[in-house]
Amino acid sequence: MTASLKKKFPRGISPVGIAVLMAVVLIVWLLLGDWRSASDEAPMAQQVPAQKVHQVETRWSQAQPITREQVLQGQLQPWQQVRVMAQVTGRVAQILKQQGEQVTAGEPLLLLSDEGRGQELEQARAIFRLRQKELASARKLRASNYVTETEIIRLEGEVARAQADLSAAQLAVEYNRPVAPFDGVVDRRYVEIGELVQPGAELMSVVNVTQLKGTAQIPQQDAHKVEEGQPVIIRLLDGRELSGEVRFVSLAADPQTRSFYVEVEADNPELWRVAGGSATLRIQLAPVLAHQLSPALLKLGPDGSLGVHAVDDEGRVVNYSVEVVSITDEGATVAGLPTNVQIITQGAGFVDPGQVVDTLVVPVGDDAKDPDMVESQPLPGMGAAE
């Protein structure tokens, strides 16, 4: 057996060495095969998993014109109101107008005792005439150089002083009969016949309520909406209404409340007794195109503004900033959306602006999937679009 093996293998090479040599040759052959395969074939491209497209439910909403209102709580005042006061000392001699009576501008209201003012007026007139004659005579003598220029100037001053005294005396006599400052009604009387009054004492109060003045304060964030000339509906506490318009909006805010003063004028043809009372001022703002939707669809942005997610014509999510016009039991009415828009009603919380989505449009009137999905209907107070 040993002798036969020695005859088959050359001398000096054992069977173990042959096995090792064959193993080395096999490894080299395998490595050469892998290298050739790598150099002949390009590596397979890495497959990127396809991005998942979210599906959202949407509905089409058509904007409708709506008339907005700025509601303010204010008060009504007479268009004109003055307290007539005494300007001279005297006793009330006669009351010419009673409370509730109509008066015209310049009409006497009562009569005060003269207290010698009539005599002072006559004296002032006489002195004024005397000073005028003295001046006229001096000017004639001046032409003949019998009177100096200085004397003429002194006499002119005396005439001016006499004229001022005469005007004061005339006013004092006129103050014996206080008059109405404008057309109106005697609202209050504060004196009685025989009562002694001093300058500054209140005699009567005269008001003009054929027109009323409504005043209120508007918050600074809403002041830009109100302009002069806008119509106003004034609702009284008992439900009655008056029509008016904005007459004035202050340019500077109150430093305490940071609000702006608003003044409204309204006619009061029936002379309702409402001056001094509270009222609701409903200022009619310019109409806007608005959509009605569920308040749950409103999203709060990073900057604190409200927005609504919708889908554009390319199937991408768009967030529109909106302004809430009103909120009622029927939903929120918002402005700022396109006239015709595809609003996301389900799945808005799982998508971001710019993302492509697959839409499932809910038909108009189909509220089986979402009770909040109601197609925009004509809103209260809507008129034809301007």
Side-chain angles (χ1 to χ4, degrees):
M1 183 66 177
T2 301
S4 62
L5 289 174
K6 289 181 179 180
K7 292 180 179 180
K8 291 182 179 180
F9 296 98
R11 182 178 296 179
I13 299 176
S14 64
V16 176
I18 294 173
V20 172
L21 181 61
M22 293 180 65
V24 172
V25 173
L26 180 60
I27 292 173
V28 172
W29 181 78
L30 292 175
L31 291 176
L32 289 175
D34 290 342
W35 174 80
R36 181 173 297 176
S37 175
S39 61
D40 294 341
E41 299 178 3
M44 296 181 62
Q46 184 177 3
Q47 295 183 354
V48 180
Q51 184 178 4
K52 182 180 179 182
V53 177
H54 289 278
Q55 185 181 61
V56 295
E57 289 187 0
T58 63
R59 70 171 174 86
W60 286 96
S61 179
Q62 180 72 33
Q64 301 289 344
I66 179 174
T67 301
R68 299 176 297 167
E69 287 185 339
Q70 181 68 45
V71 181
L72 303 175
Q73 298 301 321
Q75 52 277 338
L76 295 178
Q77 301 175 6
W79 187 248
Q80 293 174 296
Q81 182 174 16
V82 170
R83 291 178 180 268
V84 179
M85 297 184 177
Q87 294 177 280
V88 293
T89 301
R91 294 186 180 277
V92 179
Q94 186 178 358
I95 295 177
L96 305 176
K97 291 294 181 179
Q98 299 294 335
Q99 294 180 155
E101 291 189 20
Q102 297 278 346
V103 294
T104 58
E107 187 175 4
L109 301 175
L110 50 81
L111 178 64
L112 299 178
S113 59
D114 184 73
E115 304 295 330
R117 286 180 284 271
Q119 290 81 359
E120 293 177 357
L121 174 60
E122 293 300 326
Q123 182 182 4
R125 285 174 178 167
I127 294 175
F128 177 65
R129 289 196 298 268
L130 175 61
R131 296 291 181 259
Q132 283 182 317
K133 290 183 178 298
E134 290 176 346
L135 178 59
S137 300
R139 284 174 176 171
K140 290 179 180 179
L141 294 174
R142 174 60 181 164
S144 302
N145 292 325
Y146 291 110
V147 176
T148 64
E149 184 67 24
T150 303
E151 182 67 15
I152 296 294
I153 295 175
R154 185 188 68 80
L155 290 175
E156 288 176 346
E158 292 294 333
V159 171
R161 179 185 301 175
Q163 186 175 15
D165 293 341
L166 176 59
S167 298
Q170 288 174 336
L171 283 176
V173 172
E174 291 178 4
Y175 290 156
N176 290 338
R177 298 167 65 90
V179 299
F182 49 78
D183 296 348
V185 178
V186 176
D187 190 55
R188 294 291 302 277
R189 175 169 58 84
Y190 303 104
V191 294
E192 297 292 342
I193 294 179
E195 184 176 346
L196 178 65
V197 297
Q198 300 292 336
E202 295 182 355
L203 303 176
M204 292 184 178
S205 175
V206 179
V207 298
N208 175 12
V209 293
T210 56
Q211 290 179 312
L212 297 174
K213 178 167 51 180
T215 60
Q217 299 288 332
I218 184 171
Q220 57 181 340
Q221 64 270 19
D222 297 328
H224 67 281
K225 302 177 183 177
V226 179
E227 298 178 356
E228 296 180 5
Q230 289 176 331
V232 181
I233 298 175
I234 301 175
R235 178 165 295 177
L236 307 176
L237 296 181
D238 57 5
R240 292 180 296 175
E241 292 183 350
L242 294 171
S243 298
E245 64 179 34
V246 178
R247 282 302 186 189
F248 175 75
V249 181
S250 63
L251 297 177
D254 186 294
Q256 302 296 328
T257 62
R258 305 299 180 187
S259 57
F260 290 80
Y261 173 78
V262 177
E263 189 172 286
V264 173
E265 176 186 351
D267 291 331
N268 183 25
E270 300 183 18
L271 302 182
W272 289 347
R273 290 181 173 86
V274 294
S278 301
T280 301
L281 310 182
R282 310 182 72 91
I283 303 175
Q284 307 301 300
L285 305 179
V288 295
L289 291 176
H291 296 258
Q292 190 177 44
L293 46 81
S294 168
L297 301 181
L298 298 176
K299 299 179 67 64
L300 190 63
D303 58 349
S305 61
L306 290 175
V308 173
H309 275 11
V311 179
D312 62 11
D313 296 338
E314 299 178 355
R316 297 184 181 276
V317 178
V318 180
N319 183 71
Y320 292 101
S321 297
V322 297
E323 175 188 358
V324 177
V325 178
S326 65
I327 296 182
T328 63
D329 295 338
E330 299 178 358
T333 303
V334 300
L337 294 173
T339 304
N340 195 27
V341 63
Q342 190 176 6
I343 300 175
I344 299 178
T345 56
Q346 285 286 349
F350 301 98
V351 294
D352 298 316
Q355 184 176 346
V356 177
V357 294
D358 184 17
T359 59
L360 176 61
V361 180
V362 177
V364 177
D366 184 1
D367 58 355
K369 295 182 178 294
D370 187 348
D372 291 330
M373 292 188 295
V374 180
E375 187 67 14
S376 292
Q377 300 297 326
L379 305 178
M382 292 188 302
E386 294 185 352

